[in-house]
Amino acid sequence: MAAPNPTCPSFKKWRGVSNRTNQRLQDDVKPPVFAPKFNIYVPPDLQDLLQTRPRKFTPDELIEAVAAITASDKKQWLPATIAIRKALSKADTPPIQHVVDLGALPRLVFMMSLSDSPELQFEAAWAVCNVASGNSTQCAAVVEAGALPPALQLLSSEAINLREQAAWLLGNIAGDGAALRDKCLEAGMLPVLLAATDKETEVKPLRQFAWLVLNVTRFKPRRRETLLEVLPTLARIASSTKDDETLADSLSALAHVADDCISEVVNGAQAAVERAGQLINDPATPKGVVLPAAKVLSALCAGDEAATQMVIDTGVLANGYRRVLEDSEAPALLREVCFAISNIAAGTQDQAITVLDAGLPPLLVRVLKRCGGSDAVHREATWVLSNLATKGLPSLASAVREAGAAAPLSEYLSSHAAKSQRADVAANVAAAEALLAMAQAGSLRAGDAEDCDACGGDGDNADGGDGDGSGGAAADAAAATAAAAAVNPAVADYASNGVYDTLQRTVDRGLLSGKALMYVKRLLQDFPPPDESRRSEGS
């Protein structure tokens, strides 16, 4: 091809080849678009900022979070575990079973043992603790996943939050029931727990330790050796701690120990027992502490004379017990107090007299009247009055009657006559025996009886003598009552307060049986109402 002629007029318009050539030459000298980067030095403390950050999981992304804790990327373990823990911490319907079904437990348990990552240990222990707070099957799954060994190791951790969380987790397991409690003991928990508790100085971990010890003692059957092993630690905590929650749990555990080891508590926990009495006597003691303290004392009152005397020596009869009987509306507390007093009344005669000296019979009668909704309180109050009345001291029986016990005891007998539970049947017998004992005491204390006919005559004359039949009948009844009162004040008391009518109706219903029926029939026969006595004398 011939070269273009520059003189040609069209040359100036067509410069395609030379333009293309020039453009290519210019492109060759231009720098590349992606120039090499400079090699900049980054200090080690800033290098992590340049790495890919771990993904943040939400509690709703449970499947992804469980997958992340089982993956090899360690940076994802902590945020994924936190997400699982937050999901399990929901107040309403936490996805406990879902976490179990996803197979997360073995991995979470593994993370509890990673001592180089305390934050991950804590979050994993917290998540496992929340699973253990579920039902018995879910709690057992925690044990099957191997949670006990790492949890026991964490009880001695230098980190406060890890010690607290481990005790919380173990408390959930031991608190599920006797079977899992025994699993914890078989894993060697007790010596580790007691050693950690004895050296603990921080309030929050000690609070969880006390709760864990309580769950160790809570369920029957209980090994006596276990109770004796925890007794020194419990006695020390109960006598010294200033934290109300720790105090309440340690006293509750001490009450469980006293149920089975009364003499050991008497001999080895005197300071704790004295403090229990002080707590009951102090009006400022929180309600949550008063009940556990009352349980300790009521457990001791079920023991021998020495154990009962230890309770009396705390001064609760005239102080704390009296205030509870006067003011409390809490059935559980009233039951414990009445149970303790009933056993004091069942002790020696001197111990029974201390109940009278504290002025408690009228208060017990008021408890019978105002606590109609609680059978347990009614039963225990009935037992106190019966144990006093049947002690063999006419003065005690008369004091019970004078406190107004006859009518509520007869009403209790009437309302519970149809109940067949063993506790109710026994209380019915106690009420009937008390009514008979009070009538017997009245006849023993009456002294020389006035002439009944003379009393009756005085009554007739006082009424007027106008021959009116109704007035004469009323006068006869009044005279008979007065005469009976002179001979036996219990008879007059029973007549004027409707006791005879209540008992007769109860017998007529045919619901009483056994000893209760025997005592009531004997009462009606040996100490009949005044009008029946008068009729029998006339015939």
Side-chain angles (χ1 to χ4, degrees):
M1 177 177 178
N5 185 3
T7 62
C8 179
S10 62
F11 179 79
K12 295 180 180 180
K13 296 181 180 180
W14 180 82
R15 297 186 180 186
V17 174
S18 55
N19 277 348
R20 296 271 303 181
T21 303
N22 290 338
Q23 183 67 42
R24 186 169 61 250
L25 292 175
Q26 292 176 9
D27 290 342
D28 290 340
V29 299
K30 283 182 180 180
V33 175
F34 299 104
K37 294 180 180 179
F38 292 102
N39 186 11
I40 302 174
Y41 172 73
V42 179
D45 58 340
L46 297 179
Q47 288 180 5
D48 287 343
L49 298 177
L50 300 177
Q51 302 298 322
T52 303
R53 292 186 177 182
R55 172 188 170 185
K56 290 185 177 180
F57 298 87
T58 68
D60 293 330
E61 297 172 328
L62 204 52
I63 296 177
E64 294 90 336
V66 172
I69 66 172
T70 58
S72 59
D73 186 0
K74 294 183 178 181
K75 293 179 181 178
Q76 300 291 348
W77 289 358
L78 180 59
T81 303
I82 291 174
I84 296 171
R85 185 264 298 170
K86 288 183 176 180
L88 292 169
S89 299
K90 292 180 179 179
D92 298 325
T93 61
I96 295 177
Q97 191 58 47
H98 193 194
V99 170
V100 174
D101 293 340
L102 288 172
L105 277 177
R107 194 65 175 175
L108 291 171
V109 168
F110 162 74
M111 291 174 177
M112 288 172 57
S113 63
L114 300 179
S115 57
D116 58 341
S117 302
E119 186 178 1
L120 181 57
Q121 281 183 296
F122 174 70
E123 292 291 344
W126 191 347
V128 175
C129 177
N130 286 353
V131 174
S133 70
N135 60 40
S136 294
T137 301
Q138 293 160 348
C139 191
V142 169
V143 177
E144 292 168 3
L148 292 180
L152 291 178
Q153 291 180 351
L154 292 179
L155 284 180
S156 303
S157 171
E158 294 182 359
I160 295 174
N161 63 342
L162 283 176
R163 297 197 301 271
E164 178 189 8
Q165 194 60 62
W168 201 331
L169 166 57
L170 291 167
N172 277 344
I173 297 172
D176 182 78
L180 291 184
R181 184 270 316 273
D182 290 344
K183 289 278 188 183
C184 293
L185 295 177
E186 291 166 4
M189 181 183 74
L190 198 56
V192 178
L193 169 61
L194 296 180
T197 303
D198 288 339
K199 70 178 183 180
E200 186 59 67
T201 59
E202 299 293 334
V203 172
K204 294 182 70 178
L206 184 60
R207 185 180 296 163
Q208 295 304 323
F209 289 159
W211 179 62
L212 175 51
V213 175
L214 169 59
N215 287 343
V216 168
T217 65
R218 187 188 301 272
F219 302 104
K220 294 182 178 181
R222 298 182 281 240
R223 292 178 64 249
R224 182 179 178 84
E225 294 79 4
T226 299
L227 299 180
L228 295 180
E229 194 170 350
V230 303
L231 177 56
T233 297
L234 287 175
R236 180 184 59 78
I237 296 175
S239 61
S240 62
T241 184
K242 296 180 180 179
D243 178 65
D244 289 340
E245 192 171 334
T246 304
L247 180 58
D249 286 342
S250 61
L251 286 171
S252 295
L254 186 61
H256 292 318
V257 175
D259 282 339
D260 296 344
C261 307
I262 292 180
S263 61
E264 287 80 2
V265 172
V266 170
N267 295 323
Q270 297 95 327
V273 173
E274 290 172 1
R275 190 178 189 195
Q278 293 168 0
L279 291 167
I280 296 174
N281 290 335
D282 186 356
T285 301
K287 293 181 180 179
V289 176
V290 174
L291 180 58
K295 288 182 177 180
V296 172
L297 299 191
S298 65
L300 292 180
C301 287
D304 59 13
E305 179 182 344
T308 302
Q309 191 60 45
M310 176 178 277
V311 174
I312 295 173
D313 291 343
T314 64
V316 289
L317 284 173
N319 293 287
Y321 283 0
R322 183 179 179 88
R323 188 177 61 257
V324 169
L325 295 178
E326 286 177 335
D327 303 330
S328 179
E329 298 295 334
L333 179 57
L334 282 167
R335 180 202 172 278
E336 292 295 337
V337 169
C338 289
F339 178 81
I341 300 172
S342 71
N343 280 322
I344 294 173
T348 66
Q349 288 187 346
D350 288 341
Q351 289 175 340
I353 290 172
T354 61
V355 177
L356 179 61
D357 292 342
L360 300 188
L363 303 181
L364 290 159
V365 170
R366 284 162 55 184
V367 167
L368 269 177
K369 292 179 178 179
R370 81 171 190 266
C371 297
S374 174
D375 279 351
V377 175
H378 259 189
R379 280 195 300 268
E380 298 304 334
T382 297
W383 273 110
V384 180
L385 297 171
S386 178
N387 287 345
L388 289 173
T390 59
K391 198 65 188 175
L393 293 176
S395 58
L396 279 177
S398 296
V400 171
R401 178 185 57 78
E402 290 164 3
L409 284 176
S410 65
E411 291 164 3
Y412 176 87
L413 193 59
S414 177
S415 62
H416 289 72
K419 296 190 175 184
S420 58
Q421 294 292 330
R422 185 166 63 177
D424 293 311
V425 171
N428 288 342
V429 173
E433 187 178 9
L435 289 167
L436 176 59
M438 288 187 287
Q440 292 170 333
S443 65
L444 291 173
R445 287 168 56 86
D448 294 334
E450 296 180 8
D451 186 271
C452 294
D453 291 335
C455 292
D458 291 341
D460 290 340
N461 293 334
D463 187 62
D466 57 0
D468 181 76
S470 59
D476 288 345
T481 300
V487 176
N488 188 340
V491 172
D493 187 357
Y494 291 3
S496 61
N497 289 291
V499 172
Y500 283 118
D501 293 338
T502 301
L503 294 178
Q504 191 60 61
R505 286 196 304 270
T506 305
V507 172
D508 292 343
R509 288 162 59 198
L511 298 176
L512 279 179
S513 60
K515 287 187 176 181
L517 179 60
M518 178 190 74
Y519 287 134
V520 170
K521 285 186 173 181
R522 185 175 170 186
L523 169 62
L524 295 175
Q525 177 181 343
D526 294 352
F527 306 96
D531 55 341
E532 292 188 10
S533 300
R534 193 174 178 84
R535 282 198 296 270
S536 63
E537 290 173 1
S539 62

